[in-house]
Short mmCIF file of all heavy atoms in Angstrom, two decimals:
data_model
loop_
_atom_site.label_atom_id
_atom_site.label_comp_id
_atom_site.label_asym_id
_atom_site.label_seq_id
_atom_site.Cartn_x
_atom_site.Cartn_y
_atom_site.Cartn_z
N ASP Q 325 -74.61 -23.29 -54.70
CA ASP Q 325 -75.60 -23.83 -53.79
C ASP Q 325 -75.40 -23.29 -52.39
O ASP Q 325 -74.31 -22.86 -52.02
CB ASP Q 325 -75.52 -25.36 -53.74
CG ASP Q 325 -75.78 -26.02 -55.08
OD1 ASP Q 325 -76.89 -25.85 -55.60
OD2 ASP Q 325 -74.86 -26.67 -55.60
N ALA Q 326 -76.47 -23.31 -51.60
CA ALA Q 326 -76.42 -22.89 -50.20
C ALA Q 326 -76.59 -24.11 -49.30
O ALA Q 326 -77.43 -24.98 -49.55
CB ALA Q 326 -77.52 -21.87 -49.92
N TYR Q 327 -75.77 -24.18 -48.24
CA TYR Q 327 -75.80 -25.29 -47.29
C TYR Q 327 -75.95 -24.73 -45.87
O TYR Q 327 -75.47 -23.63 -45.57
CB TYR Q 327 -74.51 -26.11 -47.37
CG TYR Q 327 -74.28 -26.77 -48.71
CD1 TYR Q 327 -73.74 -26.07 -49.78
CD2 TYR Q 327 -74.60 -28.11 -48.90
CE1 TYR Q 327 -73.53 -26.67 -51.00
CE2 TYR Q 327 -74.38 -28.73 -50.12
CZ TYR Q 327 -73.85 -28.00 -51.18
OH TYR Q 327 -73.63 -28.60 -52.39
N ASN Q 328 -76.56 -25.51 -44.98
CA ASN Q 328 -76.59 -25.10 -43.58
C ASN Q 328 -75.30 -25.55 -42.89
O ASN Q 328 -74.44 -26.20 -43.51
CB ASN Q 328 -77.84 -25.61 -42.87
CG ASN Q 328 -77.89 -27.13 -42.81
OD1 ASN Q 328 -76.87 -27.81 -42.90
ND2 ASN Q 328 -79.09 -27.67 -42.64
N ILE Q 329 -75.17 -25.23 -41.64
CA ILE Q 329 -73.94 -25.50 -40.92
C ILE Q 329 -73.66 -27.00 -40.80
O ILE Q 329 -72.51 -27.44 -40.62
CB ILE Q 329 -73.97 -24.86 -39.51
CG1 ILE Q 329 -72.57 -24.86 -38.88
CG2 ILE Q 329 -74.99 -25.57 -38.64
CD1 ILE Q 329 -71.57 -24.02 -39.63
N ASP Q 330 -74.70 -27.83 -40.96
CA ASP Q 330 -74.54 -29.29 -40.88
C ASP Q 330 -74.17 -29.91 -42.21
O ASP Q 330 -74.01 -31.13 -42.32
CB ASP Q 330 -75.81 -29.94 -40.34
CG ASP Q 330 -76.14 -29.50 -38.92
OD1 ASP Q 330 -75.20 -29.38 -38.12
OD2 ASP Q 330 -77.33 -29.29 -38.65
N GLY Q 331 -74.07 -29.07 -43.25
CA GLY Q 331 -73.68 -29.57 -44.57
C GLY Q 331 -74.83 -30.00 -45.45
O GLY Q 331 -74.60 -30.54 -46.54
N ALA Q 332 -76.06 -29.78 -45.03
CA ALA Q 332 -77.23 -30.15 -45.85
C ALA Q 332 -77.55 -29.02 -46.82
O ALA Q 332 -77.58 -27.84 -46.43
CB ALA Q 332 -78.43 -30.42 -44.96
N LYS Q 333 -77.77 -29.37 -48.09
CA LYS Q 333 -78.10 -28.34 -49.08
C LYS Q 333 -79.50 -27.82 -48.83
O LYS Q 333 -80.45 -28.58 -48.70
CB LYS Q 333 -77.99 -28.90 -50.50
CG LYS Q 333 -78.18 -27.83 -51.57
CD LYS Q 333 -77.75 -28.31 -52.95
CE LYS Q 333 -78.74 -29.28 -53.55
NZ LYS Q 333 -78.40 -29.61 -54.96
N ILE Q 334 -79.63 -26.50 -48.77
CA ILE Q 334 -80.93 -25.89 -48.51
C ILE Q 334 -81.46 -25.12 -49.71
O ILE Q 334 -82.64 -24.78 -49.75
CB ILE Q 334 -80.87 -24.96 -47.28
CG1 ILE Q 334 -79.83 -23.86 -47.49
CG2 ILE Q 334 -80.57 -25.76 -46.03
CD1 ILE Q 334 -79.79 -22.84 -46.37
N SER Q 335 -80.60 -24.86 -50.70
CA SER Q 335 -81.08 -24.12 -51.87
C SER Q 335 -80.10 -24.28 -53.02
O SER Q 335 -78.89 -24.25 -52.83
CB SER Q 335 -81.23 -22.64 -51.53
OG SER Q 335 -81.73 -21.92 -52.64
N ILE Q 360 -74.81 -19.85 -42.95
CA ILE Q 360 -75.07 -20.40 -44.28
C ILE Q 360 -73.75 -20.47 -45.04
O ILE Q 360 -72.98 -19.50 -45.06
CB ILE Q 360 -76.06 -19.52 -45.07
CG1 ILE Q 360 -77.37 -19.33 -44.30
CG2 ILE Q 360 -76.32 -20.12 -46.46
CD1 ILE Q 360 -78.18 -20.59 -44.12
N ILE Q 361 -73.49 -21.61 -45.66
CA ILE Q 361 -72.30 -21.78 -46.50
C ILE Q 361 -72.73 -21.71 -47.95
O ILE Q 361 -73.59 -22.49 -48.39
CB ILE Q 361 -71.60 -23.13 -46.24
CG1 ILE Q 361 -71.33 -23.34 -44.75
CG2 ILE Q 361 -70.32 -23.23 -47.06
CD1 ILE Q 361 -70.41 -22.32 -44.15
N ARG Q 363 -71.49 -22.32 -51.66
CA ARG Q 363 -70.41 -23.07 -52.31
C ARG Q 363 -70.57 -23.02 -53.83
O ARG Q 363 -71.65 -23.25 -54.37
CB ARG Q 363 -70.40 -24.52 -51.84
CG ARG Q 363 -69.26 -25.37 -52.40
CD ARG Q 363 -69.21 -26.72 -51.71
NE ARG Q 363 -68.96 -26.55 -50.29
CZ ARG Q 363 -69.49 -27.31 -49.34
NH1 ARG Q 363 -70.32 -28.28 -49.67
NH2 ARG Q 363 -69.23 -27.11 -48.08
#
Side-chain angles (χ1 to χ4, degrees):
D325 299 297
Y327 297 81
N328 63 23
I329 193 63
D330 297 320
K333 186 166 74 173
I334 58 175
S335 182
I360 304 294
I361 308 298
R363 183 172 299 144

